[in-house]
Amino acid sequence: GAVVSQHPSRVICKSGTSVKIECRSLDFQATTMFWYRQFPKQSLMLMATSNEGSKATYEQGVEKDKFLINHASLTLSTLTVTSAHPEDSSFYICSASVSGVNHEQYFGPGTRLTVT
Amino acid sequence: GNSVTQMEGPVTLSEEAFLTINCTYTATGYPSLFWYVQYPGEGLQLLLKATKADDKGSNKGFEATYRKETTSFHLEKGSVQVSDSAVYFCALRGTGTASKLTFGTGTRLQVML
């Protein structure tokens, strides 16, 4: 149980285009989803926290107009990287939790984004 | 702010060797501490956790003890297997931070036959 999927697992896009990454909780309803970014040999960096039906809360330094997060249902959250640039190339990981407060997070397998 | 420091990898061991991966943290108050494991091609999985000082988390032969006096949460296993090869992340969740996790950089473990 508590499986989280991400799609796609890998994506290559050209500079200036937008790309959408999906995060789904397959066997539970996630009231809160988290989006992380991971650079090579570095920590996972929390980008934003999203609660179903409300606007995402972004961490300091994360551009909300560039990284659009939608959490329209209890099983799906999407991250759209708008007008992507090579510096946006990274590994993006989502996680989902049930109650959203002090509850275990279940992680997706990640999406490798390469912007050419 | 909160931070987690863990030893750099990769750590390469022979099967049945003893494993220690060091993790120290900086946080105010009384954080909860976690070890996550990421197997190749998979998402992070919670390996073990401890929520207060002197608690010992354990799972699948791995152990870690919450040491407030040394602000540490070192991961140990007495006899590693090839199947333990993965990346291990130490993390903390601070008090009053509503599920936000702060991660270390991860340590890759490679176990050889």
Side-chain angles (χ1 to χ4, degrees):
Chain A
V3 177
V4 176
S5 70
Q6 280 184 243
H7 178 79
S9 57
R10 291 176 178 269
V11 58
I12 300 173
C13 70
K14 293 186 177 180
S15 280
T17 61
S18 296
V19 61
K20 180 185 286 187
I21 302 169
E22 293 185 349
C23 176
R24 293 181 185 273
S25 56
L26 297 184
D27 50 3
F28 66 100
Q29 294 186 323
T31 50
T32 304
M33 288 186 169
F34 304 84
W35 286 95
Y36 296 85
R37 184 172 180 179
Q38 186 180 26
F39 294 98
K41 299 185 181 181
Q42 293 190 27
S43 300
L44 277 72
M45 180 192 76
L46 179 64
M47 298 174 67
T49 303
S50 74
N51 292 297
E52 185 265 338
S54 61
K55 290 185 179 180
T57 301
Y58 290 81
E59 296 298 301
Q60 193 172 8
V62 178
E63 298 177 61
K64 62 180 181 181
D65 294 330
K66 180 164 187 64
F67 299 100
L68 301 178
I69 292 171
N70 183 279
H71 191 166
S73 77
L74 286 171
T75 60
L76 173 65
S77 176
T78 60
L79 167 67
T80 301
V81 183
T82 62
S83 187
H85 290 284
E87 57 264 32
D88 299 325
S89 298
S90 193
F91 195 57
Y92 293 88
I93 302 173
C94 74
S95 71
S97 68
V98 175
S99 65
V101 178
N102 295 327
H103 201 281
E104 183 175 341
Q105 293 182 32
Y106 302 97
F107 287 82
T111 296
R112 171 77 58 194
L113 169 63
T114 303
V115 184
T116 61
Chain B
N2 297 336
S3 67
V4 176
T5 303
Q6 61 181 107
M7 62 189 290
E8 289 190 21
V11 173
T12 302
L13 296 172
S14 298
E15 204 170 40
E16 299 183 2
F18 184 86
L19 168 72
T20 300
I21 300 178
N22 290 338
C23 171
T24 56
Y25 68 90
T26 302
T28 55
Y30 302 92
S32 295
L33 302 174
F34 304 83
W35 276 101
Y36 285 86
V37 58
Q38 185 176 31
Y39 298 103
E42 299 183 17
L44 274 71
Q45 301 173 27
L46 179 63
L47 180 60
L48 53 84
K49 66 180 180 183
T51 57
K52 61 182 187 295
D54 300 325
D55 266 3
K56 177 186 283 188
S58 62
N59 186 25
K60 298 180 181 179
F62 291 90
E63 293 183 340
T65 301
Y66 189 142
R67 301 283 188 203
K68 190 162 179 64
E69 64 275 14
T70 55
T71 61
S72 65
F73 193 54
H74 304 322
L75 182 68
E76 296 182 337
K77 186 174 186 181
S79 175
V80 294
Q81 306 299 312
V82 171
S83 57
D84 293 327
S85 298
V87 180
Y88 293 82
F89 292 90
C90 185
L92 73 80
R93 184 175 62 220
T95 53
T97 52
S99 291
K100 290 183 182 179
L101 292 168
T102 301
F103 287 89
T105 54
T107 302
R108 181 175 297 280
L109 170 65
Q110 203 160 359
V111 181
M112 318 291 285
L113 282 171

